[in-house]
Amino acid sequence: MSTPIDPVSPIGIFDSGVGGLTVLRALRRALPAEEFLYLGDTARVPYGNKSPELITRYSFENTLFLLDRNVKIVVVACNTATADALDRLQRHFSRPILGVIEPGARLAAERTRNGRIGVIGTVGTVASGAYETAIQRFRPGAEVYAQACPLLVPLVEEGWLEHSATRLIIAEYLDPLLSRGIDVLLLGCTHYPLLHELIAAHAGPNVEVIDSAGAMAGVVVERLAAIECARQQGTGGVQFFLSDRHPHFKRLGERFLGDSIEKIELVNY
Ligand code: DGL
């Protein structure tokens, strides 16, 4: 029998590193009274080029870390972890576990007018076909063109958010999708919202560039309301846990999050 969920408990969220803070930012906006535990698996980042079996193991370990701290719900902010492990996590644990792919896919399916959708993500996310499957559920017959962009995560981690090299690489990755006549481009990776402006500038005015962070927050709000576990009062806050030191976490994180990061705890699990 599962134990009752205490509405005062925090919300757990994990990512392979700093990128999930874009999701945390949307969650904090939507749920200002909530307490969050953010786990960045910086010891094992990147996830995007690793096997589904390894990512599933990491995802179980991350989830257990958060559940041990009595979180009421787990948000898998990482697209690769969602693609590779969400189903198994949901089957294994009784606490609600939510991932970023379905909210993003639904949004893309709603926004497209011509039914041609581009998706960019890591090698692992694209290889899984998870976005195609989810988009087809919301818009049967949609043409989905997915492109792996493995160089974008390191560029973001390096903080090259306006660099000319980043512009060149974006053009290289996006042009094959643009030539298909897509009218929506879904950023299927935690890190890409940081390159939103550069990507949108290259995609041009006929392509709407969207990410799943806002849609994800909406799903978390709905789920907490459905299980009557939303925190009604309080000022909220975040505790940050990292599995290793990260040279840019504070600086980049503050940019991703739009807020200051005072304290980071290094953890071994
Ligand atoms: N968090 C990953 C994702 O959204 C990107 C970074 C990584 O490869 O670990 O797919």
Side-chain angles (χ1 to χ4, degrees), residues 15-17 19-20 44-50 55 77-81 100 121-122 125 153 157 188-192:
D15 180 44
S16 53
R44 304 187 285 196
V45 70
Y47 279 14
N49 54 8
K50 297 194 170 83
I55 298 308
C78 177
N79 291 258
T80 311
V100 277
T122 65
T125 298
V153 166
E157 292 271 330
C189 173
T190 46
H191 286 56
Y192 302 169

Side-chain angles (χ1 to χ4, degrees), residues 200-262:
H202 188 75
N206 298 327
V207 179
E208 185 180 1
V209 178
I210 58 176
D211 71 71
S212 50
M216 180 76 241
V219 169
V220 175
V221 170
E222 277 167 25
R223 179 60 80 89
L224 287 178
I227 59 175
E228 297 181 358
C229 272
R231 207 169 170 161
Q232 306 298 350
Q233 287 164 4
T235 47
V238 189
Q239 283 183 60
F240 295 95
F241 301 96
L242 296 183
S243 53
D244 194 9
R245 280 191 299 277
H246 182 295
H248 307 306
F249 187 87
K250 187 169 155 56
R251 182 176 59 81
L252 277 181
E254 290 180 342
R255 187 161 180 178
F256 274 55
L257 194 59
D259 200 356
S260 62
I261 295 177
E262 301 308 336

Side-chain angles (χ1 to χ4, degrees), residues 142-173:
E143 290 171 47
V144 183
Y145 302 100
Q147 169 76 50
C149 305
L151 294 174
L152 295 187
V153 166
L155 288 167
V156 171
E157 292 271 330
E158 201 50 44
W160 284 23
L161 303 182
E162 279 112 31
H163 201 285
S164 56
T166 310
R167 286 177 204 274
L168 271 178
I169 289 167
I170 285 174
E172 195 70 27
Y173 284 141

